[in-house]
Amino acid sequence: KFLITGALGQIGSELTMELRKRYGNENVVASGLRKEDSIVVESGPFEIVDIANYDQVAEAVKKHDIDWIINLAAILSAVGEQKPSLAWEVNMNGLFNILEVAREHKCAVFTPSSIAAFGPNTPKDDTPQDTIQRPNTMYGVTKVAGELLCDYYYEKFGVDTRGVRFPGLISYATLPGGGTTDYAVHIYYDALQKGEFTCPLDQDTYMDMMYMPDAINAIIDLIEADGSKLKHRNAFNVTAMSFNPEGIFNSIKKHIPDFTMDYDVNPTLQKIANSWPNSLDDSAAKEEWGWNPQYDLDAMTKDMLEKLKEKLNIEK
Ligand code: VAH
């Protein structure tokens, strides 16, 4: 049985529904800070869990006899720079609680890292699986510390911990929660609703990105992988594409010819984005558990625009 924390978030809301489809509603317990009006709450078990509260994590795991904790509750990079202590509280104390409960109740743990776990002096192109990681954002510090803590719990206590370093994730179901890559989601909404977009990052900003269906498959494929075959655990580089604002703008323009974009660079976001890689080397994930993304930029754009037109009731 699975417990998903952050189940109402951008990744959690879609992972919950996919796991319920594959494993049955009753075997996937969703959790979040509060109940919301959502298919995630209506379609299966839901618990109020603040991961910074050890008792709430332990209660949910005991009550539902959980085997896998999928920890998606986090404060992301941009919000983390505005509220660094909250980011530490949720991302580190929360993860520590998850790992302690997993150790006591023999659960396995999946928790994602991020390209944010790399810093300004990490090689930026084809960033290796094993390389220097000195991030200079609070979010990045919690991500690299989280990788080390998860590996420690695996080596020291035998807790089956696994994770991937996600790039920017693009989806239409639930908005992202305050990251530096969020522009790549908002650009699709603005293209359809306004016909124009003001980009907060400069035109030379390349970042790894991935469409949500590939991200959901990455989590499930890694969870279902034979643990004895894994040489790495926390966390695998995974990516599907790398683009700059010009790239995603041109991909959308193929469908919306009079779409326009201008720039109004946000210095805080730009500083974060500049500290991250341009493109990852994800060969370890491909070799060790068959990582194989299906969507490139144009395939993602075609699907995103179709699905958003339905969601926003915009004529085809
Ligand atoms: C963020 N979307 O921007 C998240 C992610 C790689 C980016 O970690 O913070």
Side-chain angles (χ1 to χ4, degrees):
K1 287 182 80 173
F2 298 93
L3 170 67
I4 300 177
T5 69
L8 291 166
Q10 184 194 13
I11 305 172
S13 58
E14 298 202 48
L15 180 69
T16 300
M17 299 315 290
E18 184 58 28
L19 282 175
R20 283 178 175 166
K21 210 161 38 180
R22 299 192 196 194
Y23 288 89
N25 291 350
E26 290 317 301
N27 292 318
V28 183
V29 180
S31 72
L33 287 177
R34 65 192 70 78
K35 281 204 174 193
E36 285 177 16
D37 194 11
S38 155
I39 182 80
V40 163
V41 175
E42 285 141 26
S43 64
F46 184 90
E47 298 291 348
I48 304 279
V49 173
D50 173 352
I51 62 173
N53 179 320
Y54 172 88
D55 292 337
Q56 288 181 5
V57 177
E59 268 316 295
V61 165
K62 272 188 289 196
K63 175 178 173 184
H64 295 279
D65 191 20
I66 296 298
D67 308 296
W68 267 98
I69 306 175
I70 303 181
N71 180 44
L72 300 174
I75 299 293
L76 296 183
S77 60
V79 174
E81 287 309 287
Q82 291 154 9
K83 303 176 181 171
S85 52
L86 178 66
W88 181 267
E89 172 74 7
V90 173
N91 296 2
M92 287 319 298
N93 291 347
L95 177 60
F96 183 73
N97 289 337
I98 296 280
L99 290 167
E100 274 295 281
V101 171
R103 179 176 63 78
E104 289 150 7
H105 297 275
K106 310 237 176 310
C107 307
V109 176
F110 173 95
T111 197
S113 180
S114 159
I115 59 173
F118 296 115
N121 57 2
T122 300
K124 286 205 176 304
D125 299 312
D126 287 330
T127 302
Q129 174 65 41
D130 302 304
T131 186
I132 187 164
Q133 295 177 255
R134 293 190 65 81
N136 59 358
T137 63
M138 174 55 95
Y139 175 70
V141 167
T142 70
K143 285 292 136 184
V144 68
E147 290 185 12
L148 298 173
L149 193 61
C150 289
D151 274 351
Y152 179 83
Y153 267 73
Y154 173 66
E155 302 290 340
K156 177 93 175 178
F157 303 117
V159 177
D160 182 350
T161 58
R162 308 179 188 192
V164 296
R165 291 174 186 142
F166 272 137
L169 299 183
I170 291 157
S171 65
Y172 58 83
T174 308
L175 284 169
T180 302
T181 57
D182 294 9
Y183 91 91
V185 175
H186 298 312
I187 190 169
Y188 287 105
Y189 283 82
D190 284 7
L192 288 170
Q193 293 180 310
K194 296 190 208 163
E196 59 186 23
F197 179 64
T198 298
C199 188
L201 296 174
D202 71 33
Q203 61 185 22
D204 303 323
T205 308
Y206 279 87
M207 287 189 282
D208 285 284
M209 299 281 181
M210 186 186 297
Y211 197 30
M212 188 60 79
D214 281 329
I216 298 303
N217 283 332
I219 296 173
I220 297 175
D221 289 351
L222 178 52
I223 281 174
E224 292 178 344
D226 173 356
S228 68
K229 298 254 186 348
L230 300 178
K231 299 190 199 75
H232 295 84
R233 291 251 166 191
N234 301 280
F236 287 90
N237 286 356
V238 289
T239 185
M241 61 190 94
S242 168
F243 56 71
N244 64 351
E246 202 71 26
I248 187 170
F249 170 75
N250 289 330
S251 175
I252 294 171
K253 206 166 168 58
K254 290 175 190 166
H255 300 266
I256 307 176
D258 43 10
F259 179 38
T260 60
M261 175 167 78
D262 59 15
Y263 292 87
D264 179 9
V265 174
N266 174 317
T268 309
L269 283 189
Q270 192 62 53
K271 181 173 182 293
I272 298 170
N274 288 346
S275 73
W276 293 351
N278 297 325
S279 61
L280 292 188
D281 168 357
D282 58 0
S283 50
K286 289 178 176 163
E287 284 151 25
E288 297 179 37
W289 50 275
W291 163 237
N292 176 24
Q294 300 303 301
Y295 286 86
D296 64 9
L297 177 52
D298 284 339
M300 172 172 74
T301 294
K302 183 174 179 300
D303 197 62
M304 266 298 274
L305 291 175
E306 270 168 27
K307 298 291 195 324
L308 275 181
K309 280 179 186 167
E310 275 169 48
K311 178 179 174 181
L312 302 172
N313 294 319
I314 293 173
E315 82 296 330
K316 286 277 185 201

